[in-house]
Amino acid sequence: MLVDWSKRQETSSARRAQAPAPPRPGPLPVEARSTAFGTVHVSERVLPPEHRHGSAPLAGALDVEGELVASLALQAELAGVDFQRMLFLDTETTGLAGGTGTVPFLVGLAWFEGRSLRVHQLFLRKLGEESPMLRVLAERMAQSSCLVTFNGKSFDWPLLRTRFVLNRVPTPTELPHLDLLHCARRVFKHRGSGARLVQMEETVLGHRRVGDVDGSLIPELYFRFLRGGDGSALTPVLEHNVNDLLLLAALLGELVRRFRAGSVGASVSSSEDPRDLLGFAGVALRARDYERAQAFARAAAAGDNGAVGVEALALASRLCRKAGDSATAAEHLHRALRSARGFQAATLHLELTKLYEHALKDLPKALQHARLAAAAELPEDHQRRVARLEGRIARLARAYPLDLAARPERSGV
């Protein structure tokens, strides 16, 4: 923990050293636009097809396949979505707790036009003037096929839905919702570094923001603006929101590109982080895409000789057993035992016990591994398992006194 804290302090110091000078006093870079619903204040830009956010091209999000996204997100309803018309959404609010007192003063939207990305930010200059902004949002949602957010299922969309109700604006029909937070947590959980949006940006895409405003300061900056403060103080907030939107597009394309590598006939890159490969394997397993899960698990095992490699081999073993290949399943577990220690080793011995007893019908080997699996189960369960195996072997010894050692159990006695 001290090492991690020290690294964060060094990173913070480096950012402060590289941070640009504060913006000069001046108006907020938004323009008033007349709509059928009233005046809205907008900041807008269009990014070309070749624009990259870190290592990933934004346009890569257009190349995703619905079936892969559905598997990655574990949401079957996304398989039929037209991702050419997706809508990226991110809000900046007057608080982080949610509830009726929290107001989204900046609604960031982005969508593709051709292969260019249009970023469209709706800004609330005064509290109580939300209605036109919400109606513009509803109109854009009506033209879109799905929402793509990061923690939007728990925060952004419930908050916006509440604002529609409180402002007596008809709530738009809910769209299929892809929340990349859940995808990132499942894929990158073995890194142990959390799944905050900025962390994903740095560790996955290699993009580090310089001079970025701290999210916890954003509500106070807005309240200062409402009290008559200079609009330029909110310019970094708009940039923060733009970066979040760009990250959504880049992260979606990158996740699907890497998940696609586990397809039949494709090859997983040897440069991939084994921890991420294990995460993709787990996602594919939950999606019942067993061939893809096996490809990722074997690649993860090949790239790591430690705890990640052990877990990957254990997963590969379960997949082999599911496919009816018990011999290969046992081989994977024995390979894993070369590196496993402590509880992890005991768990592997327990898996081998079950495999030899029920699938390979080799009771002496099952008993051998059962005696080494004490740490993996409760004492009473361990004692019962060992006693049961000893009893079965004793009965077989009486039935086959001459050839038990050479005879695996075949009769199911």
Side-chain angles (χ1 to χ4, degrees):
M1 291 176 64
L2 286 172
V3 171
D4 184 54
W5 178 84
S6 177
K7 289 181 178 179
R8 287 201 300 270
Q9 290 297 104
E10 291 175 2
T11 300
S12 298
S13 299
R15 286 180 178 173
R16 287 193 294 271
Q18 300 172 9
R24 294 181 179 180
L28 188 67
V30 298
E31 63 176 26
R33 292 186 184 178
S34 297
T35 71
F37 317 115
T39 301
V40 294
H41 294 85
V42 178
S43 178
E44 191 170 53
R45 68 187 71 179
V46 178
L47 298 168
E50 63 273 12
H51 189 90
R52 303 178 76 88
H53 193 73
S55 60
L58 300 182
L62 289 171
D63 300 326
V64 303
E65 302 92 336
E67 293 79 7
L68 282 182
V69 177
S71 295
L72 189 60
L74 303 178
Q75 292 178 243
E77 68 273 17
L78 293 175
V81 166
D82 176 12
F83 282 93
Q84 305 294 308
R85 297 190 299 112
M86 63 187 139
L87 178 65
F88 300 101
L89 170 74
D90 185 69
T91 64
E92 307 301 335
T93 68
T94 58
L96 302 177
T100 55
T102 302
V103 178
F105 68 85
L106 181 63
V107 177
L109 305 172
W111 61 88
F112 282 101
E113 296 177 348
R115 293 186 71 83
S116 297
L117 184 73
R118 181 175 292 277
V119 177
H120 190 87
Q121 295 171 289
L122 303 169
F123 180 70
L124 185 65
R125 291 189 65 92
K126 293 181 181 179
L127 294 177
E129 297 182 354
E130 291 176 79
S131 180
M133 181 178 73
L134 293 172
R135 290 183 182 276
V136 170
L137 170 60
E139 187 178 64
R140 172 47 54 181
M141 288 181 63
Q143 301 174 49
S144 305
S145 60
C146 70
L147 287 180
V148 181
T149 66
F150 197 90
N151 198 33
K153 284 186 175 181
S154 299
F155 185 77
D156 300 80
W157 176 243
L159 176 63
L160 287 168
R161 188 171 52 209
T162 298
R163 303 315 299 178
F164 276 104
V165 174
L166 292 178
N167 285 275
R168 298 182 179 181
V169 176
T171 304
T173 303
E174 292 201 21
L175 299 172
H177 193 154
L178 171 60
D179 191 332
L180 291 178
L181 172 63
H182 305 302
C183 299
R185 279 178 174 168
R186 285 188 288 264
V187 172
F188 302 115
K189 64 180 180 180
H190 300 285
R191 291 186 179 222
S193 58
R196 291 179 59 244
L197 193 60
V198 174
Q199 288 174 320
M200 295 297 100
E201 190 172 39
E202 293 185 4
T203 60
V204 178
L205 302 179
H207 180 83
R208 176 169 293 181
R209 301 185 190 185
V210 177
D212 187 40
V213 62
D214 191 311
S216 63
L217 301 177
I218 289 176
E220 177 57 26
L221 290 173
Y222 181 63
F223 287 128
R224 288 181 189 175
F225 170 80
L226 293 180
R227 292 194 292 266
D230 191 275
S232 61
L234 279 177
T235 300
V237 177
L238 268 69
E239 287 303 313
H240 174 90
N241 183 255
V242 168
N243 276 312
D244 285 351
L245 291 167
L246 301 188
L247 176 55
L248 288 174
L251 184 60
L252 172 59
E254 182 68 5
L255 282 171
V256 175
R257 181 191 68 79
R258 295 172 67 178
F259 194 52
R260 188 186 299 118
S263 304
V264 177
S267 59
V268 179
S269 172
S270 58
S271 63
E272 291 277 5
D273 190 320
R275 297 170 298 178
D276 299 347
L277 295 175
L278 180 58
F280 280 119
V283 171
L285 176 63
R286 291 183 61 180
R288 299 186 178 183
D289 189 347
Y290 300 129
E291 290 186 359
R292 190 184 305 273
Q294 186 68 269
F296 279 120
R298 288 176 173 169
D304 185 86
N305 294 321
V308 169
V310 170
E311 192 171 342
L313 285 167
L315 176 55
S317 174
R318 292 198 296 273
L319 289 164
C320 286
R321 187 171 179 180
K322 189 181 291 288
D325 189 354
S326 299
T328 304
E331 289 176 12
H332 285 316
L333 292 176
H334 282 293
R335 279 182 57 199
L337 277 172
R338 298 172 193 167
S339 303
R341 299 291 183 271
F343 178 78
Q344 197 175 41
T347 301
L348 295 174
H349 282 298
L350 183 59
E351 289 297 316
L352 280 166
T353 299
K354 297 174 182 178
L355 194 59
Y356 278 118
E357 179 181 5
H358 302 296
L360 297 174
K361 308 297 183 183
D362 190 332
L363 293 182
K365 286 187 177 180
L367 178 59
Q368 174 188 346
H369 288 287
R371 287 171 174 161
L372 297 171
E377 51 187 348
L378 295 173
E380 55 270 27
D381 293 337
H382 175 69
Q383 292 167 7
R384 276 197 300 269
R385 187 183 302 279
V386 171
R388 186 186 72 248
L389 287 168
E390 288 176 340
R392 295 183 68 182
I393 290 173
R395 289 194 296 274
L396 281 174
R398 290 192 294 270
Y400 304 99
L402 298 179
D403 62 348
L404 176 62
R407 177 189 180 95
E409 183 188 19
R410 300 292 183 187
S411 61
V413 176

